């Protein structure tokens, strides 16, 4: 039976730890939320009210963990986002996301040229390293917020990439490489459709997941970028992705043709998502919303568009701590799955993978 939550909050010590993490992150979140609304006196009052309300929710759950039903870490994180929306903070990290997208898009052409100079095997490893390195950008992680104060996002991305040395803490790259490239001269069939569950804005999606999507497209695989319906921290949303892809496509004909074939508008995607590829000169690159407004994902509760797109998928790629570790790490899927994340919490690293903060996870699971 599918159970998305990885962390067991029925353990009181575990519950207390994550409540402390959320409480310590609250002042920074309030500052970002107030700034996103112009820093007005009204926004400050709403920010204070949000902090009081969310703290009250945490206090009640500490006393009565089942007060709102079965409690998992995904539920806690979603509660925080719902509470923000209740006080009219609709996108607390809006300006930060825009700035990081612009900076990342400016260096994307150089990265694509670097990738295109590589042979197939080196390129695939570099792409996976790039996804893991770029996943360092997470405003929900205390350790990563501290890094932001010490350097630019490009400096942090380069540092992260330079530290990418195998073996990773969970390292199934060789299995994934064999599935993608084959062995002993035998070329495997390409995947028909891949669902890429993207995580953060900025370098994470632009320098990590988009180049990986491009590689799959070059192999003849349809790609569906799956993103949040509503904002959560600095996660990219389905509404924001088409503009990001359009900018990236200015530097890559493959991306441009695939974006044209996929429409990248909800009303233009209908025919493509149901499996029809009429009038498409390229395999399509599509965007769908997942029906969620949380850093995690419960695949029992997704949008009808995602459910429709998933019918034809034979590969899913879950990226980031929320979707690949906090949730779905232990889930097994009928199709192939690749789970990619950098662990940015010491306790999670110790309990889940018996590792250290900034260790990486590359878990590949064949179809079951």
């Amino acid at each position: 039976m599918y159970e998305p939550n990885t962390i067991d909050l029925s353990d009181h010590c575990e519950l207390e730890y994550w409540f402390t993490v959320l409480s310590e992150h609250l002042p920074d979140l309030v500052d970002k939320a107030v700034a996103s609304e112009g820093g007005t006196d009204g926004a400050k009052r709403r920010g204070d009210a949000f902090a009081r309300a969310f703290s009250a929710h945490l206090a009640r759950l500490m006393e009565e963990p089942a007060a709102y039903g079965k409690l998992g870490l995904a539920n806690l994180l979603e509660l925080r986002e719902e509470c923000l929306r209740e006080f009219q903070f609709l996108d607390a990290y809006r300006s930060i996301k825009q700035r990081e997208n612009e900076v990342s898009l400016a260096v994307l052409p150089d990265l694509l040229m670097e990738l295109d100079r590589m042979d197939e095997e080196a390129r695939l490893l570099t792409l996976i390293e790039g996804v893991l390195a770029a996943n360092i950008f997470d405003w929900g992680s205390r350790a990563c917020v501290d890094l932001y104060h010490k350097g630019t996002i490009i400096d942090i991305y380069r540092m992260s990439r330079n530290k990418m040395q195998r073996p990773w803490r969970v390292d199934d790259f060789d299995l994934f490489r064999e599935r993608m490239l084959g062995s002993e001269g035998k070329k495997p069939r390409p995947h028909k459709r891949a669902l890429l569950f993207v995580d953060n804005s900025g370098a994470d999606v632009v320098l990590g997941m988009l180049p990986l999507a491009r590689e799959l497209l070059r192999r003849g695989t349809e790609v569906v970028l799956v993103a949040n319906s509503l904002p959560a921290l600095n996660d990219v949303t389905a509404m924001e992705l088409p503009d990001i892809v359009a900018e990236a496509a200015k530097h890559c004909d493959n991306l441009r043709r695939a974006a044209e074939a996929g429409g990248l508008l909800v009303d233009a995607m209908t025919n493509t998502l149901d499996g029809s590829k009429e009038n498409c000169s390229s395999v399509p690159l599509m965007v769908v919303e997942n029906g969620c407004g949380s850093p995690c994902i419960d695949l029992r509760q997704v949008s009808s568009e995602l459910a429709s797109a998933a019918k034809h998928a034979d590969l899913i790629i879950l990226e980031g701590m929320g979707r690949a570790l906090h949730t779905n790490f232990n889930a097994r899927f009928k199709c192939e799955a690749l789970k990619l994340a950098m662990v940015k919490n010491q306790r999670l690293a110790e309990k889940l993978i018996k590792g250290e903060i900034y260790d990486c996870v590359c878990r590949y699971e064949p179809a079951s």
Side-chain angles (χ1 to χ4, degrees), residues 85-255:
R85 289 190 281 272
E86 181 183 347
F87 290 92
Q88 303 304 305
F89 294 112
L90 303 183
D91 194 354
Y93 289 80
R94 182 190 303 114
S95 60
I96 291 170
K97 292 192 292 183
Q98 289 172 345
R99 183 170 68 248
E100 292 188 358
N101 286 337
E102 289 169 4
V103 171
S104 301
L105 284 162
V107 300
L108 178 64
D110 289 340
L111 174 61
L112 296 182
M113 283 193 289
E114 177 189 336
L115 289 166
D116 288 343
R117 287 194 293 266
M118 298 178 182
D119 63 44
E120 204 173 34
E121 191 164 331
R123 187 167 66 242
L124 185 62
L125 175 59
T126 302
L127 285 164
I128 299 301
E129 287 177 339
V131 171
L132 294 171
N135 192 235
I136 197 171
F137 297 97
D138 185 349
W139 281 93
S141 162
R142 178 81 259 162
C144 295
V145 171
D146 292 342
L147 278 178
Y148 280 107
H149 299 311
K150 297 175 184 174
T152 68
I153 68 166
I154 296 305
D155 289 338
I156 297 167
Y157 171 70
R158 286 182 179 136
M159 175 221 41
S160 183
R161 257 190 85 177
N162 289 339
K163 289 185 176 181
M164 279 293 127
Q165 292 184 337
R166 296 183 63 204
W168 303 310
R169 192 63 188 177
V170 177
D171 192 339
D172 292 336
F173 174 76
D174 291 341
L175 289 173
F176 182 64
R177 179 186 59 203
E178 185 171 337
R179 169 60 186 92
M180 292 289 286
L181 306 182
S183 61
E184 299 176 359
K186 295 177 182 176
K187 276 284 184 184
R189 58 166 182 80
H191 296 94
K192 180 182 179 183
R193 174 178 289 178
L195 303 183
L196 274 60
F197 288 78
V198 296
D199 188 11
N200 304 301
S201 293
D204 198 359
V205 68
V206 175
L207 304 181
M209 291 297 271
L210 268 185
L212 180 58
R214 174 180 178 252
E215 184 70 15
L216 289 163
L217 291 163
R218 287 165 75 163
R219 295 170 180 277
T221 299
E222 297 177 1
V223 173
V224 182
L225 299 175
V226 184
N228 269 11
S229 301
L230 296 170
L233 294 171
N234 61 319
D235 289 6
V236 68
T237 67
M239 285 287 287
E240 295 161 345
L241 267 178
D243 287 343
I244 294 171
V245 171
E247 282 300 310
K250 292 177 182 177
H251 310 291
C252 175
D253 286 341
N254 284 333
L255 280 178

Side-chain angles (χ1 to χ4, degrees), residues 9-34:
L9 292 187
S10 63
D11 178 338
H12 190 77
C13 291
E14 203 66 36
L15 186 68
E16 193 170 16
Y17 171 78
W18 288 104
F19 277 22
T20 302
V21 168
L22 291 173
S23 296
E24 289 177 349
H25 184 241
L26 199 51
D28 185 69
L29 178 56
V30 171
D31 288 346
K32 297 290 187 302
V34 171

Side-chain angles (χ1 to χ4, degrees), residues 76-87:
L76 265 184
L77 296 174
E78 182 133 28
L79 175 64
R80 179 182 60 189
E81 300 306 323
E82 288 175 354
C83 206
L84 276 169
R85 289 190 281 272
E86 181 183 347
F87 290 92

Side-chain angles (χ1 to χ4, degrees), residues 275-340:
S276 167
K277 290 197 288 183
E278 291 178 5
N279 302 319
C280 291
S281 58
S282 172
V283 289
L285 171 64
M286 297 163 274
V287 171
V288 298
E289 57 180 281
N290 59 20
C292 305
S294 164
C296 302
I297 190 164
D298 181 341
L299 294 169
R300 297 169 297 195
Q301 301 173 348
V302 298
S303 68
S304 57
E305 292 91 345
L306 175 52
S308 177
K311 289 178 185 176
H312 304 282
D314 51 0
L315 171 66
I316 64 170
I317 299 178
L318 291 156
E319 184 239 356
M321 284 208 309
R323 294 165 190 84
L325 299 183
H326 289 317
T327 51
N328 300 301
F329 185 67
N330 296 322
R332 288 302 308 267
F333 299 94
K334 290 184 177 178
C335 66
E336 294 172 51
L338 182 66
K339 300 168 185 178
L340 300 169

